Amino acid sequence: MRQLVARSMFWLVWTRAGINVVSILNMIVLARLLSPRDFGLAGLAAIWIELISALAELGLGAAIIQFRDLEPEDLNTSFWLTMLLGVAGYGALFFASPALEGWFNAPHLSPILRVASISLLLVCARVVPDGLLRRDLMLDKVAKAQVAGSFLGAFVGIATALAGGGVWSLVDGALVASLATTCGTYAYCRWRPGWRLDSGQFGAIISFSLAALGTKLIFVLQSRLDEFVVGKTLGQTPLGFYLMARNLAMMPVDRLSGIVGQMANSVMASVQTDRGHQADLLLQSTRLVAVVSFPICIGMLLEARALIAVALGPHWISMVPVFQILCLSASFRSIMILLPPLLASRRRQWFLFAYSCVTVTVLLPSLWVGAHIAGTIGVASVYVLVYPLVGLWLAHETLRSAGIARLAFLRQLAVPAGACALMACTVILTHVGLDAADVTAALPRLLISAIVGAGTYTGMVLCSGSPVVAELKMVFGWVLRPLGRRSAHP
């Protein structure tokens, strides 16, 4: 088990690191070339594309991963059904785009949505080969296709922006990224679609996929609620500021969840009959994630003004308060992503579905009220004030299923939380000293504060005596393990 986890960690960390670097650089460059309204328009289109994509996929990707004995006819049927739904979804968005443009009061949304929706067909086209690669644990090939897509998409997007393409640089970049990922997926997967559709177990596949579809749809809806509310109530420019703040604040957590989520589902499922082992894994992963995510989130909160000024430019400074609130929310979210895999391994899918439905029901009116009272700051505040309250239900059920006492779980957060508190004090004192020395330039302030904060946090963790220090060394060993040594342990 440890060798398998180490192998997966190696590929996931390094490919995600490459995608992270490309994403950050792409975001920084485009933020300096485009306006917040451009990002808002692209965000409005993305809401509907992601929702219709989830419907068109029909949960078949998850079914392919779980069904190990699929015949070629089963795969062909899945492919053509997905493509049929994809074409229908594209047609629906194509003809509905003028109405959506009017409803959101967003000029030029219609042509953007019609072109950007082509990515829906590309996503549907790779559902089957992507599922086959994941089923056979070829995560390295999945990751290579994603990295190629990220690089090409960023290149095309930046080139279009430099040529004065405006919002179309975001559309073109996303389309090229999706096209390259799809082509890469087919290049690594030997399967090709055929015309024989006589499927013997398609009923079982559909039954499973529909259950997965419901959960995925609710998740997509939950993740896009804030964009929907901001876009509808406040307009494209506030949405652009909000999206940039959210993407920057959540980027470390989202990338971390990509690694942890892919591994946790498999690892928890493999030890689902050993309740004690599951509890130990949850506590260990909580320590590891918290010790990495907490300082990043709190550090960005403390250095928000200098970070945004240096990275994005002065015209984005107005998003600082929203960004700081979302950084605080991101630290909580980084722990919440660890809980569902354990419940899923214990066959609590219906609870997870009910939890997601309750979360959407609570968040929608809360976000709407927050937007009308305090704009984007009100929307961001909902994720700090309301979302954790709903999350307590998920935490309670997870800890109860694992047999973990609440106090034992909270103890895993003590060292990173205490180290972050000390780090915050030293960074604030550093700011006072820099003010006294009349250091006003954003870059020197950011570098000095980051070095002081990182040194304080690292020293506190190393001196804590927590087992997380040894665990971090073990994980770094997996991440840095040379490819030759790794291949010796299949």
Side-chain angles (χ1 to χ4, degrees):
M1 171 63 70
R2 178 168 293 191
Q3 292 174 356
L4 180 60
V5 172
R7 178 180 179 180
S8 300
M9 180 70 75
F10 179 90
W11 280 109
L12 289 173
V13 167
W14 285 108
T15 53
R16 290 283 176 176
I19 293 174
N20 283 351
V21 171
V22 173
S23 298
I24 292 172
L25 293 177
N26 184 49
M27 181 174 64
I28 290 173
V29 174
L30 292 180
R32 291 180 173 273
L33 295 174
L34 305 179
S35 69
R37 186 176 182 277
D38 292 331
F39 285 92
L41 275 172
L44 285 177
I47 295 173
W48 301 102
I49 294 172
E50 186 173 358
L51 185 62
I52 300 300
S53 293
L55 278 170
E57 289 177 40
L58 204 65
L60 289 171
I64 290 170
I65 295 173
Q66 295 298 327
F67 284 74
R68 315 293 297 184
D69 57 344
L70 295 178
E71 299 294 333
E73 292 80 4
D74 300 319
L75 298 175
N76 293 340
T77 305
S78 298
F79 173 82
W80 291 113
L81 176 60
T82 305
M83 289 304 300
L84 179 63
L85 292 173
V87 171
Y90 176 78
L93 283 177
F94 186 93
F95 290 108
S97 57
L100 292 173
E101 177 180 305
W103 194 65
F104 277 102
N105 192 24
H108 311 301
L109 177 61
S110 180
I112 291 170
L113 188 56
R114 286 176 170 178
V115 175
S117 297
I118 296 173
S119 64
L120 192 158
L121 303 176
L122 297 171
V123 170
C124 291
R126 68 173 179 263
V127 167
V128 173
D130 181 81
L132 290 172
L133 290 176
R134 293 178 187 275
R135 185 193 67 180
D136 297 333
L137 297 178
M138 297 182 181
L139 296 180
D140 56 329
K141 296 180 178 180
V142 174
K144 289 174 184 177
Q146 293 174 343
V147 169
S150 297
F151 271 95
L152 289 174
F155 176 80
V156 170
I158 292 173
T160 306
L162 289 172
V167 67
W168 290 104
S169 60
L170 297 171
V171 176
D172 294 346
L175 280 176
V176 170
S178 186
L179 176 61
T181 302
T182 300
C183 292
T185 302
Y186 274 96
Y188 287 120
C189 183
R190 296 180 180 180
W191 177 86
R192 296 294 182 270
W195 294 103
R196 293 188 61 184
L197 307 179
D198 184 17
S199 175
Q201 56 177 330
F202 195 66
I205 298 172
I206 286 293
S207 178
F208 181 93
S209 66
L210 288 177
L213 173 64
T215 301
K216 183 172 183 178
L217 279 176
I218 292 295
F219 175 78
V220 170
L221 185 61
Q222 176 185 327
S223 64
R224 295 287 187 175
L225 272 181
D226 50 351
E227 299 175 41
F228 175 85
V229 171
V230 173
K232 175 59 180 171
T233 60
L234 303 177
Q236 296 89 65
T237 299
L239 176 59
F241 279 111
Y242 179 83
L243 282 176
M244 184 61 70
R246 192 192 67 178
N247 291 341
L248 185 59
M250 297 296 178
M251 183 173 289
V253 174
D254 288 342
R255 297 302 184 261
L256 184 63
S257 68
I259 297 173
V260 175
Q262 288 189 48
M263 295 186 61
N265 283 310
S266 299
V267 173
M268 286 295 183
S270 67
V271 295
Q272 60 185 263
T273 58
D274 190 341
R275 190 182 187 191
H277 196 179
Q278 283 191 323
D280 291 339
L281 286 172
L282 179 59
L283 294 177
Q284 184 182 60
S285 60
T286 300
R287 291 193 297 269
L288 286 168
V289 169
V291 82
V292 174
S293 66
F294 280 16
I296 295 175
C297 296
I298 302 305
M300 291 195 302
L301 184 155
L302 294 169
E303 298 299 327
R305 182 168 291 276
L307 176 63
I308 291 173
V310 171
L312 305 182
H315 60 291
W316 291 96
I317 288 295
S318 61
M319 79 181 205
V320 166
V322 175
F323 174 68
Q324 290 176 313
I325 295 171
L326 291 173
C327 284
L328 188 60
S329 173
S331 62
F332 174 81
R333 181 178 173 181
S334 68
I335 302 303
M336 295 300 295
I337 62 175
L338 303 175
L339 306 181
L342 188 144
L343 289 174
S345 72
R346 304 188 75 82
R347 310 293 174 87
R348 299 291 304 279
Q349 290 90 342
W350 283 112
F351 168 78
L352 291 173
F353 179 74
Y355 167 76
S356 298
C357 290
V358 170
T359 302
V360 170
T361 303
V362 173
L363 280 181
L364 181 57
S366 301
L367 290 169
W368 204 274
V369 171
H372 281 87
I373 293 177
T376 53
I377 292 178
V379 171
S381 299
V382 168
Y383 281 101
V384 176
L385 301 175
V386 178
Y387 185 64
L389 295 178
V390 184
L392 291 176
W393 184 28
L394 176 63
H396 170 76
E397 287 295 323
T398 304
L399 297 181
R400 187 172 65 85
S401 294
I404 300 174
R406 296 185 186 89
L407 187 58
F409 182 77
L410 292 175
R411 271 199 222 97
Q412 314 311 312
L413 309 178
V415 169
C420 278
L422 182 60
M423 177 187 75
C425 292
T426 57
V427 169
I428 291 172
L429 290 174
T430 302
H431 288 172
V432 174
L434 291 172
D435 290 339
D438 200 26
V439 178
T440 57
L443 183 57
R445 291 179 67 93
L446 179 62
L447 292 175
I448 294 172
S449 299
I451 292 171
V452 171
T456 302
Y457 181 83
T458 303
M460 178 69 175
V461 171
L462 292 176
C463 294
S464 66
S466 170
V468 75
V469 177
E471 292 165 351
L472 282 172
K473 291 180 180 178
M474 176 183 67
V475 171
F476 282 130
W478 293 344
V479 171
L480 299 175
R481 179 172 298 180
L483 203 59
R485 288 178 57 191
R486 184 180 58 80
S487 60
H489 301 283

